[in-house]
Amino acid sequence: MVSALGMTAVLGGCGAGADSDEVTLRLVAADYGDSEANSSQKYWDGLVEQYEKKHPNVTVDVSVYSWNDVDRKVKEMVAAGDAPDMAQIGAYADYAADDLLYSADELLSISTQADFAAQFASAGEVDGTQYGMPFAASTRLLFYNKTLFAEAGLSAPKTWDQLAADAAALKADGVKYPYALPLGSEEAQAETMQWLLSGGGGYTENLGTSYGIDSAENVATLTWLKDDLVGKGLTGPVAPGKLNRADAFAAFANGQVGMLNGHPTLMQMAAKKGVKFGMVPMPGVDGQTKVSMGVADWMTAFKQNGHAEQVGDFLDFVYDEKNVLAFSREYDLLPVTASASDVMSTAARDKDLRPFLEELPLSELYPVGRTSWATVSAAVKKRIGGAVVSGGSPTAVLAGLQSTALRAESGE
């Protein structure tokens, strides 16, 4: 994501005084654009203009920040006692645990709540109450360079062994990154989770009730990555722990990558550079993975300033079908509502997103409802690359991450 545009926040008090019916709502949002032309500030400005025409007593001030900054910015505002009315960010559980957020029930109409895709509504819950309102979603597919595959006489892999064999053939042809494995600090938790799921494991077990990071399945997955991909020189010249997702995507768009896990944004990047690509479900041990990784970003509403009625009315507008569709189409993201998903699943203009939409119902999300997840995610980003290097120990790294998770769970 790029640096935000229009970053001025209105930091004064909300509203126009006790004798006025006029209300000013502040929204802090993340930027999904990659240039000034498609900054999220432009999206929100247009949406707010429509809303304010019909609600002359409500002003909505939107401040957009890059993904590198937005969560930190909101945290600083909350710590300073100056919480925004709404924040569209990456996590919500810590704020919910501190009783700082309105629940969805306190804000949204029944029809808006019912329209959320079931797995996202559930993922937004803490102790059975929904505080995180899903805002945007994506899933992952395996992207492969059709030109490089054709030159090597390859077909898209369905199993790990086929993926490794394809990578070896691409390496023999001089491809720089046969399989790009970004386990660097930017988004290692995503690449890791996709691989863990493809090996029959994941971050949690027992239907998500507890962490299972050091499970036998996860150890086997990372051991395979270490021995059969990284150890055989099939992941390129940059150590996985030093390779970030953005750099891996850029390399794919430049024709230097044979395969990598990607989300919908990569389609546009590759197409702009003329790269012909295919997309298939992530290979697994014995066949294509049945469960994909899903990611959702969240809308939250803070109680500090009140205004539940006005916030709820504005969010009902935000989640109107046409607005969800407009946002999803602008940024190649998947809608979080059933009504918009139904439209995109059949509309000709959305056919490129259809493979990702098909993966969505079976996707598994990060355990974002746990207040410990932020700590665990940061630890994964920092340590997971060390599990696959020469001399690294998947067993030791995963055991250390499990210990970190359990300490975070207990509040230590």
Side-chain angles (χ1 to χ4, degrees):
M1 304 300 175
V2 298
S3 297
L5 302 166
M7 293 170 58
T8 303
V10 179
L11 297 177
C14 287
D19 297 328
S20 173
D21 291 328
E22 295 184 1
V23 170
T24 295
L25 303 177
R26 291 182 298 154
L27 166 63
V28 174
D31 196 350
Y32 292 83
D34 58 9
S35 67
E36 184 175 353
N38 72 344
S39 164
S40 293
Q41 187 73 54
K42 297 185 76 170
Y43 170 82
W44 284 110
D45 287 349
L47 196 68
V48 166
E49 183 179 2
Q50 295 176 48
Y51 183 79
E52 290 179 347
K53 284 181 179 178
K54 296 182 179 180
H55 302 81
N57 292 331
V58 178
T59 299
V60 184
D61 286 325
V62 183
S63 303
V64 173
Y65 298 88
S66 77
W67 272 110
N68 292 328
D69 300 321
V70 67
D71 288 289
R72 174 185 55 80
K73 181 63 179 177
V74 172
K75 188 174 183 179
E76 290 173 351
M77 294 172 73
V78 172
D82 190 38
D85 294 282
M86 296 163 282
Q88 185 266 300
I89 47 180
Y92 64 86
D94 286 349
Y95 299 127
D98 290 337
D99 195 28
L100 299 177
L101 301 179
Y102 286 116
S103 68
D105 283 340
E106 295 175 291
L107 298 169
L108 302 177
S109 67
I110 293 174
S111 59
T112 297
Q113 291 185 71
D115 201 22
F116 286 136
Q119 83 245 54
F120 297 127
S122 297
E125 293 180 354
V126 174
D127 296 330
T129 299
Q130 184 181 357
Y131 295 96
M133 293 164 278
F135 183 75
S138 70
T139 53
R140 300 291 196 269
L141 292 171
L142 183 77
F143 282 67
Y144 65 97
N145 184 309
K146 283 188 171 182
T147 302
L148 297 178
F149 266 61
E151 291 172 351
L154 303 174
S155 59
K158 294 183 179 180
T159 68
W160 287 1
D161 287 345
Q162 290 171 0
L163 185 149
D166 285 353
L170 292 167
K171 181 183 178 182
D173 277 0
V175 175
K176 187 174 182 179
Y177 294 91
Y179 179 87
L181 183 65
L183 297 180
S185 60
E186 180 189 6
E187 206 182 33
Q189 83 285 0
E191 182 74 12
T192 299
M193 183 171 174
Q194 184 65 77
W195 276 100
L196 297 183
L197 290 172
S198 74
Y203 289 124
T204 60
E205 57 186 5
N206 300 323
L207 299 177
T209 60
S210 59
Y211 281 106
I213 300 173
D214 59 349
S215 69
E217 293 86 354
N218 292 347
V219 171
T221 296
L222 287 188
T223 300
W224 187 89
L225 281 174
K226 175 178 178 290
D227 295 342
D228 289 72
L229 276 190
V230 182
K232 294 181 179 179
L234 302 180
T235 54
V238 180
K242 302 291 185 183
L243 182 64
N244 281 328
R245 178 194 55 80
D247 295 328
F249 277 22
F252 186 85
N254 287 328
Q256 299 174 319
V257 175
M259 299 171 278
L260 85 171
N261 282 316
H263 53 63
T265 304
L266 184 57
M267 294 190 300
Q268 195 174 91
M269 291 179 61
K272 284 181 179 178
K273 293 290 189 75
V275 172
K276 296 180 180 179
F277 59 90
M279 302 178 298
V280 294
M282 177 69 180
V285 178
D286 301 316
Q288 290 179 335
T289 303
K290 299 296 190 293
V291 180
S292 176
M293 189 196 75
V295 176
D297 302 323
W298 303 96
M299 179 68 74
T300 59
F302 288 88
K303 295 193 290 188
Q304 179 180 329
N305 302 314
H307 305 150
E309 181 180 350
Q310 293 86 352
V311 168
D313 188 72
F314 176 68
L315 290 179
D316 279 338
F317 177 73
V318 168
Y319 285 108
D320 184 83
E321 179 186 301
K322 70 178 187 302
N323 295 328
V324 173
L325 281 170
F327 182 86
S328 301
R329 286 166 169 165
E330 176 68 28
Y331 299 108
D332 282 334
L333 291 165
L334 305 181
V336 296
T337 61
S339 59
S341 293
D342 288 344
V343 173
M344 291 188 80
S345 66
T346 57
R349 64 183 291 185
D350 302 312
K351 66 181 188 304
D352 289 343
L353 284 171
R354 212 157 291 154
F356 294 95
L357 275 170
E358 291 169 356
E359 291 286 302
L360 197 58
L362 299 175
S363 65
E364 183 172 320
L365 279 68
Y366 299 130
V368 289
R370 296 177 177 274
T371 57
S372 56
W373 171 242
T375 297
V376 174
S377 177
V380 171
K381 292 178 183 180
K382 184 176 181 180
R383 302 181 209 165
I384 202 69
V388 298
V389 298
S390 177
S393 171
T395 300
V397 170
L398 291 173
L401 291 170
Q402 177 74 1
S403 295
T404 296
L406 294 179
R407 287 195 301 272
E409 283 279 277
S410 64
E412 294 182 20

